[in-house]
Amino acid sequence: MSNAAIELKGITKRFGSVVANHNISMTVSRGEVLSILGENGSGKTTLMNMLSGIYHPDEGQIFVEGEPATIRSPKDAFRYKIGMIHQHFKLVDNLTVTENVILGLREEGRFSLKKSAEKIRKICETYGFQIDPMKKIYEMSVSEKQTVEIIKVIYRGAEILILDEPTAVLTPSETKNLFAIIRNMKKAGKSIIIITHKLGEVMEISDRVAVLRKGEYIGTVETKTTNEQTLTEMMVGKKVDLNIERTDPHDCVKRLELTNVSVTGKDGVKILKNVSFHAKSGEILGIAGIAGSGQKELLEAIAGLQKLTSGSIIYHDPKTGKEEDLRDKTPLQIRELGVRLSFVPEDRLGMGLVGSMGITDNMMLRSYKSGRGFFLQKKDPKGLANKIISDLEVVTPGTETPVRRLSGGNIQKVLVGREIAAAPTVLMAAYPVRGLDINSSYMIYHLLNAQKESGTAVIFVGEDLDVLLELCDRIIVICHGQISGTVEGRKATKEEIGLMMTNLPEEKEDAE
């Protein structure tokens, strides 16, 4: 008898003239952790969406436990005991864990919230979840919300779980806890499929790794017999340098000085509390913190998009030698001074790109003058669009193709490339590699290093602590809207930063 929980044979999926998956045949074994790797646009999510019932294959056959399966909806997927935990959670904030878990279910017999909560407690005991079934979603951390999503599919009877970028917003300790739970689920005989870009985590948690490239299946290897370099070459089809060549900071002068900056939200709650730090030219300053700790609001405050309730942001203009208080400036004035924000949100088309317009027209949304560094010559918007397409390897039929038709990773390259092309004196890059494959990610890291070398003050907000430690010269850690510490990138450890991400120094807490 075969040990395959799922077998794919000749799976092909097209969207118009675009072939997302072509003739893919692979298996997922019972009781294993299988990682799915591939560059952006390689077809990973499309393939998993066919297993979870969001798409249906145009050709080929899916077998579950050796039997042909027709999966046309998420409801069908659950019938075959397949559950997918998406990157963006689908929870109702004002309901409890139990209410979210049973939402939409038809229970046999008389409905009992108490019985459902007890069943959830048993699931928690079995797999090692730490969650209160009666806790409201809005009271939870990101990792707790993810836990609820996993419990939700187990409650519905899932034996095959698909996790999409499960550690993207977790701290090192939360990732460690998640991996312990995944190992418990594996021991219980469940099959776990993980879509991730973090090769270190692939090596740590998976039994086998399946690689896709440009919609085609390249092969599956046992994790214990491979390494990060080999996996990257399988993904990309060529040798890739996985080293971030961090140079020593040079010609460092202060470009930005923040003193006691506070920002209050619409609900009257302080988002930022007396934040003070400085950013210097010729260095990369990293910002680490759990998602929602105030990173976004901090950069928006510098860019003039958030109103300060107190404090000052002083910009030292290298052209005039003057000190400018950015608190008195409009966002446009701040941009004209050379302070640029490249923020890559979950909705990439929501931050300055118009989906119906081509790359050239999107270039025209910003004014470009003389520049330096990576994009040396600034010509007309079409020339700039072609330069970005070439240098960042943007996959697009042409400069006039509407950006909404590009993959998420390629939209992201346009976003980041456009800001770098503006030759800023301060470049704030927030989540510039969010969701990017390993090859594209390292391309962005090299670009940021090139900006540093050209004398730009680079502020980098990232989710991967390994990258922050390898790329940044200094790292400030933000916790609950406050700076909990500053460390040297070359000397700090992940554990040290992870602890600072969840704990404020006692004197700061007392001051509140």
Side-chain angles (χ1 to χ4, degrees):
M1 184 177 174
S2 170
N3 192 41
I6 292 178
E7 188 174 3
L8 307 178
K9 290 187 177 179
I11 297 294
T12 296
K13 181 64 182 176
R14 303 181 187 89
F15 296 96
S17 61
V18 177
V19 181
N21 293 131
H22 175 65
N23 195 31
I24 292 179
S25 298
M26 57 182 283
T27 62
V28 182
S29 300
R30 294 187 191 91
E32 81 161 345
V33 179
L34 177 73
S35 289
I36 306 287
L37 281 181
E39 292 189 275
N40 297 109
S42 63
K44 305 183 299 295
T45 303
T46 299
L47 189 65
M48 292 303 102
N49 280 340
M50 283 187 277
L51 285 181
S52 63
I54 295 173
Y55 298 142
H56 185 71
D58 298 320
E59 297 173 18
Q61 181 70 59
I62 298 172
F63 294 84
V64 179
E65 299 294 342
E67 298 294 326
T70 302
I71 306 172
R72 294 186 178 274
S73 69
K75 188 176 179 181
D76 286 343
F78 275 119
R79 190 158 50 85
Y80 289 108
K81 298 184 177 181
I82 301 170
M84 185 165 178
I85 295 89
H86 296 272
Q87 202 171 345
H88 310 309
F89 308 139
K90 306 177 190 308
L91 301 170
V92 182
D93 280 352
N94 61 349
L95 296 183
T96 65
V97 172
T98 303
E99 290 165 339
N100 269 278
V101 167
I102 65 174
L103 193 63
L105 279 180
R106 290 185 178 180
E107 300 269 3
E108 291 185 10
R110 189 174 179 180
F111 171 76
S112 170
L113 199 63
K114 186 177 179 181
K115 285 183 179 178
S116 297
E118 188 56 37
K119 184 177 176 181
I120 290 170
R121 286 191 181 93
K122 287 180 180 177
I123 291 172
C124 291
E125 289 173 12
T126 301
Y127 299 107
F129 296 112
Q130 299 291 326
I131 207 81
D132 177 3
M134 304 315 293
K135 191 174 183 179
K136 300 271 189 182
I137 300 299
Y138 67 79
E139 299 174 320
M140 293 184 169
S141 66
V142 175
S143 63
E144 287 178 311
K145 290 177 183 178
Q146 184 183 66
T147 296
V148 177
E149 289 284 18
I150 296 173
I151 291 172
K152 195 162 69 173
V153 298
I154 293 176
Y155 188 97
R156 285 163 164 75
E159 291 296 325
I160 301 153
L161 286 82
I162 305 167
L163 281 69
D164 188 6
E165 297 286 351
T167 66
V169 292
L170 302 185
T171 65
S173 62
E174 289 169 341
T175 297
K176 187 177 179 181
N177 292 339
L178 174 64
F179 284 1
I181 288 166
I182 288 174
R183 291 186 181 103
N184 288 338
M185 291 193 291
K186 174 187 165 182
K187 285 178 187 174
K190 296 190 185 296
S191 302
I192 297 102
I193 305 171
I194 298 177
I195 304 172
T196 181
H197 291 102
K198 298 181 180 180
L199 290 177
E201 294 178 357
V202 168
M203 299 301 295
E204 181 181 346
I205 191 64
S206 61
D207 298 301
R208 295 189 303 146
V209 186
V211 180
L212 303 184
R213 188 198 309 152
K214 296 180 180 178
E216 298 192 0
Y217 174 66
I218 301 303
T220 300
V221 295
E222 289 193 11
T223 309
K224 63 185 178 183
T225 64
T226 190
N227 55 51
E228 294 185 18
Q229 189 69 48
T230 300
L231 292 174
T232 303
E233 290 171 14
M234 287 178 70
M235 280 194 293
V236 181
K238 62 183 180 182
K239 285 189 176 294
V240 177
D241 182 6
L242 294 181
N243 293 314
I244 299 175
E245 295 181 2
R246 174 172 52 193
T247 57
D248 291 330
H250 62 90
D251 300 324
C252 296
V253 295
K254 287 183 181 178
R255 282 283 167 265
L256 278 181
E257 278 189 277
L258 280 74
T259 306
N260 295 327
V261 168
S262 294
V263 170
T264 303
K266 293 178 181 178
D267 54 2
V269 175
K270 270 195 176 183
I271 303 169
L272 297 175
K273 307 166 191 175
N274 300 320
V275 171
S276 298
F277 69 89
H278 65 269
K280 296 184 287 189
S281 62
E283 76 161 5
I284 298 179
L285 175 68
I287 299 180
I290 297 171
S293 294
Q295 302 95 312
K296 174 174 178 283
E297 290 80 7
L298 175 58
L299 298 196
E300 287 180 344
I302 296 171
L305 301 172
Q306 286 275 359
K307 187 176 180 181
L308 273 61
T309 50
S310 64
S312 65
I313 302 174
I314 302 299
Y315 170 65
H316 299 269
D317 194 330
K319 296 173 185 175
T320 65
K322 293 181 179 179
E323 292 185 357
E324 304 275 0
D325 191 341
L326 300 189
R327 189 175 178 180
D328 302 328
K329 309 290 184 186
T330 66
L332 182 58
Q333 289 172 327
I334 292 170
R335 283 173 39 77
E336 290 300 316
L337 284 171
V339 180
R340 298 272 172 158
L341 169 61
S342 176
F343 178 74
V344 179
E346 293 172 356
D347 176 14
R348 298 173 178 96
L349 291 177
M351 281 295 288
L353 291 180
V354 179
S356 60
M357 291 165 56
I359 298 176
T360 300
D361 289 339
N362 271 286
M363 292 304 107
M364 293 175 68
L365 293 177
R366 302 281 174 93
S367 58
Y368 290 93
K369 301 181 182 178
S370 60
R372 65 183 188 283
F374 186 75
F375 301 101
L376 192 57
Q377 299 294 326
K378 302 297 187 301
K379 299 179 180 178
D380 54 70
K382 187 166 185 176
L384 178 58
N386 281 320
K387 182 73 172 161
I388 289 175
I389 289 170
S390 172
D391 291 337
L392 293 184
E393 300 178 11
V394 176
V395 179
T396 176
T399 59
E400 307 309 316
T401 301
V403 295
R404 69 163 179 262
R405 294 187 186 173
L406 307 184
S407 73
N410 285 303
I411 291 172
Q412 195 157 319
K413 290 178 186 179
V414 175
L415 250 177
V416 176
R418 186 177 68 177
E419 297 309 322
I420 292 176
T425 54
V426 177
L427 174 64
M428 297 181 288
Y431 311 109
V433 299
R434 174 183 269 162
L436 286 184
D437 58 73
I438 191 76
N439 190 37
S440 299
S441 296
Y442 274 80
M443 197 178 293
I444 296 296
Y445 302 148
H446 295 323
L447 282 179
L448 295 179
N449 262 326
Q451 289 295 297
K452 165 188 167 180
E453 286 298 301
S454 70
T456 300
V458 179
I459 301 176
F460 174 81
V461 180
E463 296 163 327
D464 190 329
L465 291 186
D466 287 314
V467 169
L468 278 162
L469 288 168
E470 194 176 350
L471 177 69
C472 301
D473 300 296
R474 290 185 299 127
I475 302 168
I476 62 172
V477 185
I478 190 167
C479 176
H480 300 302
Q482 295 175 259
I483 302 297
S484 58
T486 304
V487 296
E488 295 291 327
R490 292 163 177 78
K491 297 177 182 177
T493 65
K494 278 203 304 182
E495 291 71 24
E496 180 185 0
I497 294 176
L499 193 60
M500 292 167 70
M501 286 166 66
T502 54
N503 292 285
L504 284 169
E506 288 185 12
E507 61 270 16
K508 287 198 173 184
E509 292 183 313
D510 293 340
E512 287 299 302

